[in-house]
């Protein structure tokens, strides 16, 4: 009888443990989500002040239709191409006996070290007539496909080969095994990566300015910088938010609610790599050409301008100041964004439902907005409500956390999804307090995902331009601000050292990202 009573008490304690962390984590997620809604609230407030007649006149006009067509075509072409390219590279580097697979895997991640606008700067310097939609698709795929390659490759490493063996034993061929067994298990990675790429395409500015391709973001920034027409730019931002809602709905629809975790340390054995045989040389061409276009062109272009500029372009006092400020802002912003993303990532996997999807959507909305809109929202709020916070370090770090929250959230969500909830329950049933049970199981197992998320956020902060220009305290001059200033004056030689340093700084973070993705698979 005593053991039964103890069992009941243990069950009640475990139930309280499961409810208590949920309440605290849910409260933290709600607070973060409300903060992420500030830019959207700013747009709505401007719309209300503007009035329906002015809003309809600003939104329902031919120019908005042109921008919408450009943006939709850009996303509809870039994302599928990036998915196919990333899946092919991931399979070759993780599942085949491709010569130098480890090197090609690293080179498939390395383009993340090159800012998107530096990719565009390199291509427009090499091919001055490169403009329009297909130029945007080309540069966007080369700049952003690693966001898809990383989660797909990590998922391929963790898949249980016994499932594929069982399907093959039932008579399915290699292609049908891939389509019916492997591809469904990659759904979460593909959806998360595709959403991340899509949000970047909606918010990117510098890349499309170089190749002279108009999107909603370039039009919004032009409105603010040329005429300071707040209502017109904010109405364009409202259409951009609608596009984000469409992407979110598609991602939720395709992702589903399947379980992706297994109890245990992972697959019982590593899958034997497929032999390429005579297809080795043709298969080598894909990573080789991708590396040449995504890494070779930017490095050759930057090197050419450094040689042309000589020693005069290395202004070390100016460069040193920009380097120190960039490093500090990147590290502080990455830490804040990762901490803010943890509650939402936990709820997304452990307690899915209507509330979770609503809160998650709030966090993704801000990722679709250009930095200038987020910056203007924070400027308005600080000037009207909290003047002492205007152009302070606190404000710019909050802006970074809001802008790059989706990067941290995607990495943490995929990592927590592979940490079985049974471990949390087991720790709680052994008498550990809720927060200690959470810390000793899920948080520790998701540490690689947190590190990967921090690296992604730091990379984004290093490359951020518009929000930094508007929110940074007086005297701030980051690497991107200096690069944009010189390139805007068509002084490509003086801009080259800053491009080189940005790439050199980003390479260690990209390497960390690559190493952590390996550790997530236990390798």
């Amino acid at each position: 009888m005593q053991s039964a009573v103890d069992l009941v008490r243990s069950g009640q304690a475990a139930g309280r443990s499961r409810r208590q962390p949920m309440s605290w984590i849910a409260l933290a997620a709600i607070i973060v989500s409300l903060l992420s809604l500030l830019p959207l609230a700013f747009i709505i407030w401007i719309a209300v002040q503007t009035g329906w007649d002015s809003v309809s006149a600003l939104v329902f006009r031919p120019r908005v239709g042109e921008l919408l067509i450009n943006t939709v075509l850009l996303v509809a072409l870039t994302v599928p191409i990036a998915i196919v390219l990333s899946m092919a590279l991931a399979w070759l580097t993780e599942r085949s006996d491709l010569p130098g697979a480890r090197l090609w895997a690293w080179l498939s991640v390395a383009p993340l070290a090159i800012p998107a606008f530096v990719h565009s700067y390199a291509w427009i310097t090499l091919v001055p007539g490169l403009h329009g939609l297909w130029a945007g698709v080309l540069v966007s795929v080369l700049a952003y496909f690693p966001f898809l390659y990383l989660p797909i490759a990590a998922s391929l490493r963790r898949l249980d080969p016994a499932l594929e063996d069982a399907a093959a034993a039932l008579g399915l061929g290699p292609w049908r095994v891939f389509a019916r067994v492997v591809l469904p298990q990659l759904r979460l990675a593909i959806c998360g990566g595709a959403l991340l790429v899509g949000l970047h395409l909606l918010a990117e500015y510098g890349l499309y300015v170089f190749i002279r391709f108009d999107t909603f973001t370039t039009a919004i920034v032009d409105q603010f910088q040329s005429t300071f027409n707040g209502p017109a730019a904010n109405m364009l931002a409202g259409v951009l938010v609608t596009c984000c809602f469409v992407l979110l709905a598609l991602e939720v629809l395709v992702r589903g609610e399947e379980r992706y975790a297994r109890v245990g340390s992972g697959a019982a054995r590593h899958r034997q790599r497929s032999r390429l045989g005579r297809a080795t040389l043709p298969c080598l061409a894909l990573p080789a050409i991708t590396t040449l276009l995504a890494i070779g062109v930017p490095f050759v272009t930057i090197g050419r301008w450094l040689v042309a500029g000589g020693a005069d372009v290395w202004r070390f006092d100016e460069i040193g100041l920009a380097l120190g400020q960039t490093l500090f802002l990147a590290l502080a912003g990455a830490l804040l964004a990762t901490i803010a993303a943890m509650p939402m990532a936990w709820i997304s996997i452990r307690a899915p439902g209507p509330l979770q999807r609503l809160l998650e959507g709030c966090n993704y909305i801000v990722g679709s907005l250009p930095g200038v809109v987020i910056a203007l929202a924070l400027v308005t709020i600080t000037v009207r409500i909290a003047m002492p916070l205007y152009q302070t370090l606190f404000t710019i770090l909050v802006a970074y956390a809001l802008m790059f929250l989706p990067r941290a959230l995607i990495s943490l969500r995929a990592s927590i999804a592979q940490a079985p909830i049974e471990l949390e329950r087991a720790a709680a049933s052994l008498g550990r307090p809720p927060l200690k049970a959470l810390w000793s199981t899920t948080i520790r197992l998701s540490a690689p995902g947190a590190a990967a998320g921090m690296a992604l956020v730091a990379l984004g902060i290093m490359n951020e331009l518009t929000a930094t220009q508007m929110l940074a305290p007086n005297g701030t001059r980051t690497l991107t601000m200096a690069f944009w200033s010189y390139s805007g004056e068509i002084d490509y030689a003086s801009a080259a050292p800053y491009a080189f340093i940005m790439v050199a700084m980003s390479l260690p973070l990209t390497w960390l990202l690559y190493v952590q993705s390996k550790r997530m698979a236990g390798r």
Side-chain angles (χ1 to χ4, degrees):
M1 177 63 70
Q2 182 63 33
S3 61
V5 171
D6 292 341
L7 184 60
V8 170
R9 289 176 178 172
S10 174
Q12 292 173 344
R16 287 193 299 270
S17 334
R18 288 192 293 270
R19 288 192 298 269
Q20 188 173 352
M22 175 60 194
S23 62
W24 285 98
I25 294 174
L27 179 61
I30 290 172
I31 292 173
V32 172
S33 300
L34 290 176
L35 287 175
S36 69
L37 286 176
L38 285 177
L40 180 60
F42 171 74
I43 295 172
I44 296 174
W45 178 67
I46 293 293
V48 171
Q49 280 198 329
T50 304
W52 170 249
D53 292 338
S54 299
V55 168
S56 59
L58 291 171
V59 171
F60 299 104
R61 54 194 172 106
R63 176 58 174 164
V64 175
E66 294 173 7
L67 295 174
L68 182 61
I69 291 173
N70 285 352
T71 304
V72 170
L73 286 176
L74 179 69
V75 174
L77 292 171
T78 301
V79 172
I81 294 173
I83 289 174
V84 173
L85 175 63
S86 302
M87 289 184 64
L89 290 173
W91 188 87
L92 287 174
T93 55
E94 300 297 333
R95 288 297 187 88
S96 73
D97 63 346
L98 186 76
R102 291 173 63 89
L103 174 63
W104 294 120
W106 155 238
L107 292 175
S108 297
V109 180
L112 284 180
I114 305 172
F117 54 81
V118 173
H119 278 280
S120 192
Y121 152 86
W123 276 94
I124 203 64
T125 303
L126 183 67
V127 187
L130 192 67
H131 303 299
L133 173 62
W134 288 105
V137 172
L138 170 66
V139 181
S140 299
V141 169
L142 295 176
Y144 292 126
F145 83 87
F147 286 123
L148 273 157
Y149 171 83
L150 270 172
I152 292 174
S155 297
L156 279 175
R157 291 183 211 119
R158 293 181 64 94
L159 295 186
D160 189 349
L163 299 176
E164 299 170 56
D165 293 342
L170 293 174
L172 297 182
W175 286 105
R176 294 184 67 188
V177 169
F178 182 82
R180 298 183 62 178
V181 178
V182 177
L183 193 58
Q185 297 182 81
L186 299 178
R187 182 184 299 176
L188 186 64
I190 293 174
C191 289
L195 179 61
L196 198 55
V197 172
L199 293 176
H200 276 80
L201 296 178
L202 292 180
E204 178 58 42
Y205 169 69
L207 187 159
Y208 304 118
V209 169
F210 271 115
I211 61 174
R212 288 184 269 176
F213 180 68
D214 291 337
T215 64
F216 277 111
T217 302
T218 61
I220 291 168
V221 176
D222 289 343
Q223 285 281 351
F224 278 121
Q225 291 183 342
S226 61
T227 64
F228 300 97
N229 191 342
N234 277 281
M235 294 312 99
L236 292 177
V239 180
L240 196 58
V241 171
T242 304
C243 295
C244 176
F245 274 122
V246 174
L247 284 181
L248 289 170
L250 288 174
E251 195 266 350
V252 170
L253 182 65
V254 175
R255 187 205 334 169
E257 297 182 1
E258 285 80 1
R259 175 190 170 106
Y260 296 89
R262 56 171 286 158
V263 178
S265 59
R269 59 182 173 81
H270 295 308
R271 180 178 176 82
Q272 192 73 22
R273 288 181 176 263
S274 302
R275 295 185 177 277
L276 296 175
R278 294 181 180 179
T280 299
L281 288 180
C283 289
L284 270 172
L286 179 63
I289 293 173
T290 303
T291 301
L292 177 65
L293 298 179
I295 302 175
V297 169
F299 271 85
V300 168
T301 302
I302 294 171
R304 191 180 73 176
W305 282 116
L306 287 175
V307 171
D312 294 338
V313 299
W314 291 92
R315 304 175 179 90
F316 289 105
D317 53 342
E318 203 177 292
I319 292 173
L321 178 63
L323 178 61
Q325 293 181 344
T326 301
L327 278 173
F328 175 78
L329 290 175
L331 293 175
L335 180 61
L336 180 61
T338 304
I339 293 173
M342 180 64 79
M344 189 64 253
W346 190 91
I347 291 178
S348 177
I349 299 302
R350 295 292 188 250
L355 177 61
Q356 167 264 322
R357 288 178 179 173
L358 177 62
L359 295 178
E360 192 173 358
C362 294
N363 291 296
Y364 284 130
I365 286 171
V366 71
S368 71
L369 296 177
V372 66
V373 175
I374 297 173
L376 281 170
L378 293 178
V379 165
T380 303
I381 293 169
T382 53
V383 167
R384 299 198 176 201
I385 300 176
M387 188 62 186
L389 296 178
Y390 176 65
Q391 282 193 327
T392 60
L393 179 63
F394 173 81
T395 305
I396 193 172
L397 290 180
V398 169
Y400 288 151
L402 294 178
M403 291 171 61
F404 299 109
L405 197 63
R407 292 194 180 195
L409 184 56
I410 289 291
S411 299
L412 283 170
R413 189 181 70 180
S415 185
I416 291 175
Q418 295 177 333
I421 192 174
E422 289 82 2
L423 299 181
E424 287 181 42
R425 293 173 179 171
S429 67
L430 292 174
R432 293 199 177 187
L435 292 180
K436 286 188 177 180
L438 186 65
W439 171 262
S440 61
T441 55
T442 299
I443 292 181
R444 290 194 176 185
L445 289 174
S446 62
M454 286 187 64
L456 281 172
V457 174
L459 283 172
I461 293 174
M462 283 190 221
N463 304 337
E464 172 53 35
L465 174 65
T466 52
T468 305
Q469 286 178 318
M470 297 185 64
L471 294 173
N474 291 332
T476 302
R477 184 176 172 86
T478 63
L479 294 172
T480 53
M481 294 169 67
F483 170 85
W484 196 256
S485 175
Y486 284 119
S487 61
E489 299 168 359
I490 319 298
D491 189 357
Y492 291 146
S494 295
Y498 295 95
F500 174 79
I501 293 173
M502 281 188 285
V503 174
M505 284 178 55
S506 300
L507 278 173
L509 292 179
T510 335
W511 174 256
L512 172 65
L513 201 59
Y514 171 73
V515 170
Q516 291 296 346
S517 69
K518 290 279 190 182
R519 288 180 180 174
M520 287 177 68
R523 296 188 183 181

